[in-house]
Amino acid sequence: MAYIERMLHTHPLQSGTQNHALAACIEAAGECLAMCNACADACLGERDVDQFKRAIRLNNDCADLCDSALRIMSRQTRSNPAMVRAAVDAMATACQLCGEECQKHAGMHEHCRLCADACRRCEHACRELMQSIRLAA
């Protein structure tokens, strides 16, 4: 069992119905946040930084949305499913856009390939959580 999933199980108000999908999404968001920050920084270090402006912007936006969404998902007391869905949906969109942009540079820059992979994993985790929230509703 993942460490965050263990934490979710300790919450006195936890429902248990979505803990696995929720934990997976929180973990993916944290990883994506770190990868997007690192990728943006690596892009800034490239010689022709102008070709990375869109990627840097999307990396920063994606990291910010991952940070906000994982904080919202981590709070269980009086959690609002509509708020969680909105945050996770926004994060999924950011991951899709960022992943697509980083993939364009992936053939020449390993940091972009790694970031694109993290974005795809996070987007997938978002979709899985969204599905489990719909099933629980």
Side-chain angles (χ1 to χ4, degrees):
M1 179 183 302
Y3 204 67
I4 188 64
E5 191 170 0
R6 288 174 48 202
M7 175 57 93
L8 293 171
H9 279 290
T10 69
H11 197 285
L13 302 177
Q14 65 92 20
S15 67
T17 58
Q18 307 157 32
N19 280 348
H20 183 71
L22 181 61
C25 196
I26 290 169
E27 286 182 2
E31 180 179 85
C32 192
L33 165 79
M35 296 296 282
C36 286
N37 277 329
C39 188
D41 186 65
C43 288
L44 285 170
E46 294 290 347
R47 275 188 265 207
D48 188 12
V49 74
D50 282 350
Q51 74 172 333
F52 294 99
K53 284 182 179 177
R54 180 169 165 73
I56 293 166
R57 171 58 193 258
L58 287 169
N59 272 300
N60 288 333
D61 290 348
C62 189
D64 287 346
L65 283 165
C66 286
D67 184 46
S68 294
L70 80 84
R71 291 166 56 92
I72 289 168
M73 290 184 291
S74 297
R75 294 187 276 247
Q76 298 298 294
T77 302
R78 310 248 337 174
S79 182
N80 184 310
M83 179 67 75
V84 173
R85 277 192 301 273
V88 172
D89 188 48
M91 179 171 53
T93 299
C95 289
Q96 177 186 355
L97 295 171
C98 186
E100 288 170 356
E101 183 63 26
C102 284
Q103 189 61 46
K104 293 176 186 176
H105 305 281
M108 296 289 290
H109 303 282
E110 182 69 1
H111 58 86
C112 290
R113 186 190 68 74
L114 292 169
C115 187
D117 289 348
C119 286
R120 279 192 291 276
R121 283 191 304 275
C122 190
E123 181 187 1
H124 177 74
C126 289
R127 304 283 180 224
E128 292 289 317
L129 179 57
M130 296 288 283
Q131 183 63 25
S132 77
I133 290 171
R134 277 189 212 100
L135 293 175

